[in-house]
Amino acid sequence: MTVCAIEITRTDPFTITADGSYAARLAGQGEARYPERWTLAGPEAYAVPLPLAQPEEADSEVLPLTDGRVLIHRRVADRHVFALLYPTGTEAAPRTGELVLGAVDAREGLRVTLLPPSPDGACAYALAVGPEDSTVWQVAGNPSGPQRVAHVPGLCSGGVWLDRAGRLLALDRELDGRTKTVAVDLAGAVSPLLQISEDSDDRLLLAAPDSGLLVIRSDAPGEPRLGWGVLGSARPVRFPECLRLGEGATPFAVQPGQVLMPETCGVALRVGEAGLALWRPADRHVFRLGAPAGWLGGTGLWTAEGRLRLPYAVPEVPCGVMSLGQPVAPLPPVHLDPLPPVDLEPLPEPAARPVPLQQAPLG
């Protein structure tokens, strides 16, 4: 598939399931917004609109599940309401079905946002942040409706899954004027995860559960910079010069399936408003590439085979996916020392806490 370089990048949120089977977004313009589900598992992507009797507000959030339904989060008066949408009717007369799941009260000062899709694909979670504390809610996959599953003192943001079971969640917590990443076991435990220095602000941006690769942003080197480390490793967090891509550089996808091989994981980054860059720790080099016109939300998904899939929508192709391979760079004269092995066996009951990257010297 040949696609021209970026001309316009859509900034509307576009969310892909962890297994890459479905995606969802709010389509339409202005006040005529409606949920749209994309089916990505197949020879060709296609979109199914899921409109209801009234258009959606622009601040509504959507999130796909692996059974093909789409979770929608709406603010209705003094409540945050969650429902599942699905196509019904006939091909000649398609309709949208809606199953209301329940609501979370919108008390004063409470901000509620959906967390990234759970790795299990069947559950969905939301983060409610109040003036002094944060709560993780399970808003789909629970027959009794929205349920509190974790409480975290401090103001939390972000959200990165650390395992394949959908039980360990990393959140960036602001507490006492500093931001550090904590690991939240949805069974109830909260433990430190990322603390490079006592006075630094450290945030986790991406994680690859198979290899343990972590991509972070920290001001420990003296200014906010992108770096990488390995979950459970005693090696230091490293801040490569090639990742000095400006404040707007944001990683959005990491290659799965590279068991115990963090240096070989491909990482895709959005650079500025419409730039695309690919990087691997082993290469010590960033490849800048053209992305498709109409790239949706600066998002994408790596496959285990090493292909990066980028969704786009333009008038002539309203539902398209561009596929890229990871470029191969010549090896540098001095090779990276092999990293120590990481034990990623299934978590016992109760779940073990991740080994913190605490007090790691700067690399």
Side-chain angles (χ1 to χ4, degrees):
M1 180 184 298
T2 302
V3 184
C4 60
I6 280 185
E7 297 171 356
I8 300 174
T9 299
R10 294 286 298 274
T11 58
D12 296 339
F14 185 90
T15 307
I16 307 172
T17 57
D19 68 353
S21 56
Y22 291 99
R25 66 164 178 153
L26 274 185
Q29 298 290 334
E31 297 182 357
R33 297 293 188 114
Y34 58 90
E36 183 178 76
R37 187 197 71 188
W38 286 36
T39 298
L40 303 177
E44 186 173 351
Y46 64 92
V48 175
L50 296 172
L52 292 170
Q54 294 184 339
E56 303 292 344
E57 298 291 337
D59 61 353
S60 296
E61 297 180 290
V62 293
L63 184 145
L65 303 181
T66 53
D67 62 4
R69 295 182 294 179
V70 173
L71 175 73
I72 187 165
H73 163 220
R74 307 180 180 101
R75 174 68 184 263
V76 180
D78 58 350
R79 298 187 304 161
H80 293 271
V81 179
F82 302 91
L84 290 173
L85 307 179
Y86 52 93
T88 185
T90 64
E91 185 175 353
R95 296 187 302 155
T96 300
E98 181 176 17
L99 174 63
V100 177
L101 301 175
V104 174
D105 289 338
R107 58 183 171 87
E108 185 177 357
L110 188 71
R111 293 178 289 110
V112 178
T113 56
L114 292 178
L115 286 164
S118 172
D120 68 6
C123 300
Y125 298 87
L127 179 64
V129 183
E132 298 180 351
D133 58 0
S134 305
T135 303
V136 178
W137 288 78
Q138 182 179 350
V139 295
N142 180 29
S144 59
Q147 178 183 11
R148 294 182 181 89
V149 292
H151 173 261
V152 185
L155 308 183
C156 291
S157 59
V160 176
W161 293 101
L162 298 173
D163 65 342
R164 290 291 181 194
R167 180 164 175 176
L168 288 175
L169 174 69
L171 294 173
D172 300 326
R173 176 176 67 176
E174 181 184 344
L175 190 65
D176 300 328
R178 293 295 177 191
T179 300
K180 306 290 183 183
T181 303
V182 297
V184 181
D185 184 334
L186 297 187
V190 178
S191 58
L193 178 66
L194 184 62
Q195 181 173 307
I196 299 177
S197 70
E198 185 175 345
D199 298 327
S200 60
D201 289 323
D202 311 315
R203 295 174 171 85
L204 179 62
L205 306 180
L206 278 181
D210 299 322
S211 67
L213 177 68
L214 305 178
V215 183
I216 70 169
R217 177 175 282 119
S218 173
D219 59 5
E223 61 180 345
R225 288 181 56 181
L226 293 176
W228 69 283
V230 180
L231 187 66
S233 171
R235 297 294 296 269
V237 174
R238 278 155 275 188
F239 298 89
E241 285 295 318
C242 65
L243 290 184
R244 286 181 176 267
L245 302 173
E247 294 184 4
T250 304
F252 62 87
V254 62
Q255 183 180 357
Q258 306 300 96
V259 179
L260 306 183
M261 299 175 63
E263 308 101 315
T264 65
C265 286
V267 177
L269 304 98
R270 178 176 177 173
V271 182
E273 291 297 321
L276 172 66
L278 304 183
W279 167 77
R280 291 189 306 180
D283 290 339
R284 298 183 181 179
H285 180 77
V286 169
F287 295 89
R288 292 179 179 264
L289 302 175
W295 185 21
L296 288 171
T299 59
L301 183 81
W302 278 104
T303 68
E305 296 74 29
R307 305 293 296 180
L308 177 64
R309 308 187 73 197
L310 302 175
Y312 68 94
V314 291
E316 59 273 21
V317 184
C319 178
V321 177
M322 179 182 182
S323 182
L324 297 172
Q326 170 73 36
V328 178
L331 291 174
V334 180
H335 299 273
L336 287 173
D337 294 332
L339 292 173
V342 182
D343 183 8
L344 291 180
E345 295 181 358
L347 294 171
E349 296 290 343
R353 299 180 182 182
V355 178
L357 290 175
Q358 288 186 291
Q359 308 300 336
L362 303 184

